Amino acid sequence: MARSLRIAVVSLYALENNGVRHVASSLRRAGFPVTEIYFKDWINNNFPWPTEDEVQALIRLLRERDVQVVGFSVRASAFHRMASYLTRRVRHALGIPVLWGGMHPTFLPERAIRHADYIAVGEVDDAVVEFFSRMEEGGDIRTVPGFWVREGDVVHRNDIAPLVDLDSLPFRDYHSHDDKFHIEGRRVRRGDPFIDNPEYTLLASRGCPYWTCTFCSNTLTRPLYEGKGPKFRVRSVEHIVRELEYAKGLCKDIRVVRFDDEVFPIRADWIEEFADKWPRRVGLPFEILVDPRMVREEPLRRLKEAGLRALCMGIQADESVNQRFYNRHTTNRQIIEAQRIFRKLDIQSNLQVIWDDPASTEEDKDRLFHLLMELEQPFELFLFGLTIYPQTHLARRLHREGRITEADIEGVGTHAFEQFRVGLNYPRPKADQRWLALLVLLNKRFLPRSLIWKLYESERFKRDPAPLVALAQAANLAKMAAVVAEMTARGEMTPLLIRRWLNLDSLVTM
Ligand code: B12
């Protein structure tokens, strides 16, 4: 059924944005004319405030497209201030109502509704169609599940919408061209800005099978969705394979597929079906995320045969910190064993560590260093700075204990913009600079372990880590150059990726 309400959905600093793409697909399927706007892209540790040119370009575009209602996707809380600024500017210039959706309004609805006219709370792939249908037909939008509506000072709050059946969702749309725009600097480019990306990303599931890590948003969505359907949902293999068949016909440069699931689905029968269909019908290398608790040799062998090229696994911290602070019940033994399996199967492992937490003592950091030194080489190491998301157990606990203030929590704070990936230039206590430099050095294949032990034992670097940090910077740059060369050879390096990663002002560790 053709609809006439002209809607725009805006992604903030993300060309991929699943949220925007899913909402746009659902609305298009229901017949609504939708404009997708990708407002700026992200660069690691660098999210510059929008320029006046960019704001004007957004307003102009909305005016030209004669948009009647605009939705901003506020995925991360750090975008809160940008979203409220753009909301004010758009409302002032065009007088149209503004809707916010995404994880931020889901976790902080009371704060978000002060800025937007409407907010979507939770996932709304189906509910968004109901909301806009009622709006177009002049029905009552104040009672649509999944939405809050503000009329002056009065807020109409509705319950969460039922969780959706993932197999019933339309694929994210890669066939529309004319109604997608990317605004960056003075330029507005028409067309899908992500269509020629060599890496195709998708989710095979929603939710998490573990749900307990205190830093993670999933501890919040779990109670939110209580009684609304199965919370950890996995798509059927057939649905995923069909999506890739669809996408391969349109995104001509796909070289690798990355599954962004918190944890790649682990059910044995699902893996069997996947390992059978993926190589036959998709035939692309792929990457996944795993948890140390789920790593088993046999399923990984099947996935390796199907094209699994690399995986990410969160170590996070030493087991004592993981268990007492993050409520994450993994052990160092599991991590060592998992890495042994990755090596045995020859799967590249990208191991992730969270730094800057207030719980790790010098002894914990020392144990983490020893754990990493014990892991079978090679492996890649990705260091992340602990970001405290609002409403999480972690935020509440640290706040209660007086160890942080509101300003340290995302939304007021913007840590995810500054040290999401750890950089060595960021000001930190000397002891931490030494640890980080050692961590950066320890997985570099061109540096022998005996050297790392010597650097670790040196009393000099304990007093003054500056030369060690300089060495780590140099090793990091050499590593980056090697990664870029490797990716270029595989045809996976693009100007987009170079911009996102290799920003000299905000170099991350690798
Ligand atoms: C995959 C992922 C990524 C991928 C995104 C890939 C992609 N193709 O989109 C990458 C790696 C790029 C990424 C980047 C970042 N991410 Co991220 N990401 C996720 C993850 C794991 C899944 C997101 C997802 O795709 N979900 C599926 C989609 C369909 O759901 P959704 O986005 O929630 O959208 C639904 C609703 O929210 C709503 N909705 C969303 N937008 C809109 C807009 C409108 C108008 C409407 C009506 C509805 C609506 O409808 C959608 C359909 O139901 C989540 C964790 C999680 N479980 O959600 C973290 C998560 C969202 N990310 C987070 C963060 C912090 C970031 C970064 C800031 C990190 C960084 N510094 O680089 C960036 C931000 C980039 C950006 N500019 O937005 C945090 C946010 C927490 C917070 N409160 O701030 C989360 C929650 C993870 C966590 N640690 O707990 N991320």
Side-chain angles (χ1 to χ4, degrees), residues 462-485:
K462 286 183 192 158
R463 285 190 306 274
D464 175 19
L468 193 65
V469 173
L471 179 64
Q473 287 281 32
N476 197 38
L477 278 172
K479 179 68 199 280
M480 270 187 178
V483 171
V484 170

Side-chain angles (χ1 to χ4, degrees), residues 9 12-14 16-20 22-23 42 44 47 71-79 99-104 106-107 120 122-125 128 132 147 172 201 203 206-207 215-218 258 260 262 389-390 410 416-417 420:
V9 270
L12 300 178
Y13 297 74
E16 47 270 73
N17 204 328
N18 289 335
V20 160
H22 272 292
V23 164
W42 59 269
N44 266 311
F47 288 77
F72 285 100
S73 178
V74 196
R75 163 148 63 195
S77 301
F79 293 110
L99 162 67
W100 286 11
M103 280 310 202
H104 177 65
T106 298
F107 299 143
E123 62 177 56
V124 291
D125 307 70
V128 73
F132 284 122
F147 287 82
R172 290 162 303 162
T201 66
L203 291 171
R206 286 191 191 172
F215 50 78
C216 177
S217 59
N218 280 305
R258 192 186 75 212
D260 273 331
E262 313 280 2
Y389 300 122
E410 291 296 277
F417 291 173
F420 185 73

Side-chain angles (χ1 to χ4, degrees), residues 161 205 232 267 324 385:
S205 63
F232 179 58
R267 248 183 25 224
R324 67 169 202 275

Side-chain angles (χ1 to χ4, degrees), residues 122 210 234 268 353-354 367 391 407 492:
Y210 297 107
V234 179
V353 166
I354 301 181
R367 275 198 297 274
Q391 303 295 99
E492 291 169 22

Side-chain angles (χ1 to χ4, degrees), residues 130 269 271 369 376 384 391 447 485:
E130 175 66 21
D269 56 337
I271 298 258
F369 173 79
E376 253 178 63
F384 294 86
Q391 303 295 99
L447 299 175

Side-chain angles (χ1 to χ4, degrees), residues 211-223 325-327 388-401 404:
W211 305 102
T212 67
C213 304
T214 55
F215 50 78
C216 177
S217 59
N218 280 305
T219 51
L220 303 173
T221 37
R222 190 180 184 192
F325 186 61
Y326 290 142
N327 197 24
I388 303 165
Y389 300 122
Q391 303 295 99
T392 52
H393 289 265
L394 184 76
R396 277 185 266 155
R397 174 175 165 183
L398 291 175
H399 199 248
R400 201 174 50 239
E401 292 172 356
I404 56 167

Side-chain angles (χ1 to χ4, degrees), residues 160-263:
I160 287 284
L163 288 178
V164 294
D165 166 9
L166 299 183
D167 278 358
S168 72
L169 298 182
F171 303 140
R172 290 162 303 162
D173 169 346
Y174 286 101
H175 52 268
S176 304
H177 179 83
D178 287 350
D179 46 14
K180 294 180 181 173
F181 300 87
H182 173 200
I183 297 175
E184 194 81 64
R186 290 167 184 271
R187 297 181 63 178
V188 180
R189 292 191 197 90
R190 200 177 201 133
D192 193 315
F194 213 57
I195 197 151
D196 44 17
N197 203 50
E199 185 179 56
Y200 183 85
T201 66
L202 81 162
L203 291 171
S205 63
R206 286 191 191 172
C208 171
Y210 297 107
W211 305 102
T212 67
C213 304
T214 55
F215 50 78
C216 177
S217 59
N218 280 305
T219 51
L220 303 173
T221 37
R222 190 180 184 192
L224 195 69
Y225 291 143
E226 205 58 63
K228 293 291 172 185
K231 286 175 294 242
F232 179 58
R233 286 153 298 153
V234 179
R235 293 168 63 188
S236 69
V237 171
E238 186 56 32
H239 198 244
I240 293 168
V241 167
R242 272 197 276 117
E243 170 176 341
L244 262 298
E245 287 170 341
Y246 158 79
K248 272 173 70 178
L250 297 158
C251 313
K252 297 290 185 200
D253 295 330
I254 307 178
R255 304 285 171 113
V256 59
V257 176
R258 192 186 75 212
F259 286 92
D260 273 331
D261 304 81
E262 313 280 2
V263 175

